Amino acid sequence: MTDYSGDMIVNLMRLPGEVPPAPGVRIKRAFAGDRKKILQFVQENFSDSWVQETETALMQVPSTCFLAEEKGEIVGFACYDVSARDFFGPIGVRQSSRGKGIGQCLLLRCLHCMREMGYAYAIIGWVGEAENFYRKTVKAEYIPGGDPLHSVYGNIIGIQEKLKK
């Protein structure tokens, strides 16, 4: 594993087929009417910046956010075309629901949608510790020079100072 965090690229023309979710798990496109529940889930399980990105995905028509639902509860989410066009992420699965292939299902559903929209490649933004997941699932590779300071994330207010510490 690399000790650097940056953007990865995946060839959408070479994606594996979508995989069925675990029994009892439903993968679906997010409905804007569920906005409050979705954003609360992301806030409670992940980060403020992911809440903002998810909100952006929910405002698009159709929504560019997919959910994993189990027993009427959100257990995971994934978004695309949020930080920039052709970018995948964020993605997250509730800690207690990990290890069931939910992240793989969400990732592939989003990437297949991106391919259907006409994208040939997708950028997976600011990967960090999920590198092996993306390499194994979709054969993603780091983009040379794609560190956060030299990516779309370099536009975040105060990021230059934060990352240089």
Side-chain angles (χ1 to χ4, degrees):
M1 185 148 114
T2 320
D3 62 352
Y4 114 7
S5 179
D7 296 341
M8 296 182 90
I9 191 165
V10 59
N11 184 334
L12 298 179
M13 301 301 132
R14 295 177 174 249
L15 289 176
E18 290 189 49
V19 294
V25 176
R26 179 177 164 210
I27 306 295
K28 65 180 187 175
R29 192 178 292 269
F31 176 65
D34 289 329
R35 178 182 165 275
K36 187 175 180 179
K37 288 179 186 175
I38 296 165
L39 297 179
Q40 182 177 355
F41 169 81
V42 176
Q43 178 71 51
E44 290 173 357
N45 293 279
F46 303 101
S47 70
D48 286 337
S49 63
W50 283 13
V51 169
Q52 294 168 35
E53 290 178 293
T54 304
E55 188 168 29
T56 299
L58 292 168
M59 291 189 296
Q60 298 186 46
V61 179
S63 169
T64 59
C65 178
F66 279 87
L67 302 176
E69 181 182 3
E70 185 173 32
K71 297 179 184 170
E73 291 186 26
I74 301 169
V75 296
F77 80 105
C79 304
Y80 63 94
D81 276 358
V82 176
S83 298
R85 292 269 186 223
D86 202 21
F87 267 63
F88 169 79
I91 181 175
V93 176
R94 184 175 64 191
Q95 186 74 32
S96 62
S97 297
R98 293 182 184 166
K100 299 179 182 179
I102 294 170
Q104 179 185 25
C105 290
L106 288 165
L107 170 65
L108 290 171
R109 177 69 61 90
C110 287
L111 294 180
H112 278 274
C113 284
M114 293 174 77
R115 183 174 68 192
E116 289 168 9
M117 291 174 57
Y119 294 124
Y121 296 89
I123 308 300
I124 304 171
W126 203 335
V127 172
E129 63 189 38
E131 172 188 352
N132 289 335
F133 168 71
Y134 293 117
R135 285 186 189 279
K136 178 181 171 187
T137 307
V138 293
K139 296 183 176 33
E141 294 293 333
Y142 274 114
I143 298 170
D147 60 278
L149 288 177
H150 299 96
S151 177
V152 297
Y153 305 106
N155 291 320
I156 296 172
I157 295 170
I159 197 72
Q160 302 278 334
E161 292 72 26
K162 183 179 178 181
L163 290 177
K164 288 180 182 178
K165 287 182 180 180

